[in-house]
Amino acid sequence: MIEKIYEEMIARDPNQPEFHQAVREVLDSLEPVLERHPEYVDANILSRIIEAERIIQFRVPWTDDDGKVHVNRGFRIQMNSAIGPYKGGLRFHPSVNLSILKFLAFEQVFKNSLTTLPMGGGKGGSDFDPKGKSDSEIMRFCQSFILELNRHIGANTDVPAGDIGVGGREIGYMYGMYRKITNEFTGVFTGKGISYGGSLIRPEATGYGQVYFAREMLKTRGETFEGKVCLISGSGNVAQYAAEKVIQLGGKVITMSDSGGFIHDPSGINREKLDWIMDLKNVRRGRISEYANKFEEATYTAVNHSLDYNPLWDVKADVALPAATQNEINEIDAKNLLSNGVYVISEGSNMPSTPEAIEHFIDAGILYAPGKASNAGGVATSGLEMSQNSTRMNWTREEVDSKLDSIMVNIHETCAKTAEEYGHPGNYMMGANIAGFLKVADAMLNQGVI
Ligand code: NDP
């Protein structure tokens, strides 16, 4: 039955490989669930859950600083609202297309369910490339994007946030335009600035949560982060705060990257060096290669597109924290990670490991956490931002961080327990997919065929 649904999906949308990959991973985990719950089969939940409730695609025209007019494409995938308003980020990157956004929206449904907060799943974005654009170009693009998107979102309908290429600056411009058009001050975006309804710890949440999840996995073996050597990919929002938390917990971060290549600092990226990276990426908007000029103990390796592996994953370490993009760890990378001694992988990026890579991790019996569980801290804290907006209250850093920490502990426990219950102890991927699915499937079942 699962095979048939999968084949029908490919026949319908043959050119969406990332979406197929995300669906395959979840459907393959659900066999033991369908055996126990024939009611899901009778209600055809699987065919319904892989079909977006609504997809919006629109034109985004904007003018650059020289007066030249450009056109990009905007999207919002409203995947599933059975357990709450659509919730998920916006990505601005030239690679953005329907396949990538549908995979992200699909993952988001299960991730949001795992947080236990009332949030459905969605995702959106544009093929706009923010790199090299001035602040005013970014502002004009964001305003044009929201001129259309505003009619499809709302604090109780669909609440977007950031993702690749969308940080505090972009959310600010989009929120400002939304507020002007609707003449309402509501919590329609998360990741907002603190002065206009944002939550403390939201910028840190995905990276912190990713490390909290890894800490919980290490705990099952009686270990801690103290002295652990960690590989991190990316140097954006998630990567920066994953690095910060690893340093706080006594671990040693030796790599970070961007789309140009990676730096390897065997002496460890300490607090002072991380501050320098944060300034480089968030203020000066420079390239990670500059790190090796500044700190001579480090080396920089440019990305070589003719290689069929990423040398970042071929460095000796204990822990890997991917935090850049999808499919950044392939089968060769997985073998390299394992042979270099890595035995903890906690995904910050969405779907960073290919199915072949995941198979190697699971066969090797290492501590492997799929992104939909280990990177759920970001959206969970977005949920906390929504709660603060609804009650017009602001919680302290400590309050939000402690709620985030308990949510990650709880997600870890749920995944571990569910995996065991369904006959796959230690398999966090099975646990996450099944637990995330059950809540949404029950809600869909109870709400009838809609
Ligand atoms: P940012 O835009 O802040 O950072 C992305 C980082 O990844 C940059 O260093 C970027 O390099 C690098 N990168 C992007 N695309 C590629 C690529 N094709 N190849 C190599 N490197 C690449 O994004 P975030 O940190 O917010 O997001 C990182 C990942 O985490 C994404 O997969 C996102 O979906 C996921 N995520 C983010 C959440 C959040 O709260 N922000 C929540 C949950 C998941 P460069 O600057 O050169 O492009």
Side-chain angles (χ1 to χ4, degrees), residues 91 131 163-165 202 206 235-238 259 287 324 349-350:
R91 176 177 290 193
K131 269 201 207 93
D163 191 78
I164 292 179
R202 175 60 189 92
T206 309
S235 49
N237 172 264
V238 180
S259 53
R287 310 304 299 159
S349 28
N350 284 304

Side-chain angles (χ1 to χ4, degrees), residues 341-361:
V342 169
Y343 68 101
V344 183
I345 298 175
S346 180
E347 297 181 341
S349 28
N350 284 304
M351 206 169 75
S353 310
T354 64
E356 298 77 20
I358 297 175
E359 215 173 298
H360 282 282
F361 298 149

Side-chain angles (χ1 to χ4, degrees), residues 137-271:
E137 288 172 331
I138 299 278
M139 181 177 75
R140 285 194 293 276
F141 176 81
C142 289
Q143 292 177 337
S144 178
F145 186 83
I146 285 303
L147 262 173
E148 173 59 34
L149 189 67
N150 85 85
R151 61 186 102 222
H152 309 290
I153 58 177
N156 294 313
T157 311
D158 184 350
V159 184
D163 191 78
I164 292 179
V166 178
R169 174 181 58 168
E170 292 74 17
I171 296 287
Y173 291 147
M174 288 191 275
Y175 183 71
M177 193 54 161
Y178 181 87
R179 193 172 54 72
K180 178 170 171 137
I181 297 168
T182 58
N183 198 26
E184 267 186 0
F185 193 100
T186 61
V188 67
F189 277 89
T190 58
K192 299 186 291 299
I194 298 300
S195 58
Y196 58 95
S199 172
L200 292 164
I201 299 287
R202 175 60 189 92
E204 291 89 340
T206 309
Y208 277 18
Q210 176 187 11
V211 175
Y212 291 151
F213 199 99
R215 181 200 62 199
E216 291 307 296
M217 292 198 292
L218 278 164
K219 223 183 250 175
T220 64
R221 300 201 176 168
E223 296 182 36
T224 69
F225 258 99
E226 194 63 46
K228 296 279 182 304
V229 176
C230 304
L231 308 177
I232 294 183
S233 65
S235 49
N237 172 264
V238 180
Q240 290 173 17
Y241 289 105
E244 179 168 292
K245 190 47 78 179
V246 168
I247 296 168
Q248 284 172 11
L249 297 183
K252 183 173 169 185
V253 177
I254 60 166
T255 65
M256 286 180 85
S257 69
D258 61 23
S259 53
F262 78 99
I263 50 121
H264 177 202
D265 183 344
S267 65
I269 299 170
N270 59 18
R271 178 71 256 180

Side-chain angles (χ1 to χ4, degrees), residues 76-98:
R76 187 71 182 165
I77 317 293
Q78 297 183 332
M79 197 74 199
N80 196 301
S81 59
I83 63 168
Y86 307 107
K87 180 88 197 85
L90 295 171
R91 176 177 290 193
F92 292 168
H93 193 271
S95 64
V96 161
N97 57 33
L98 262 185

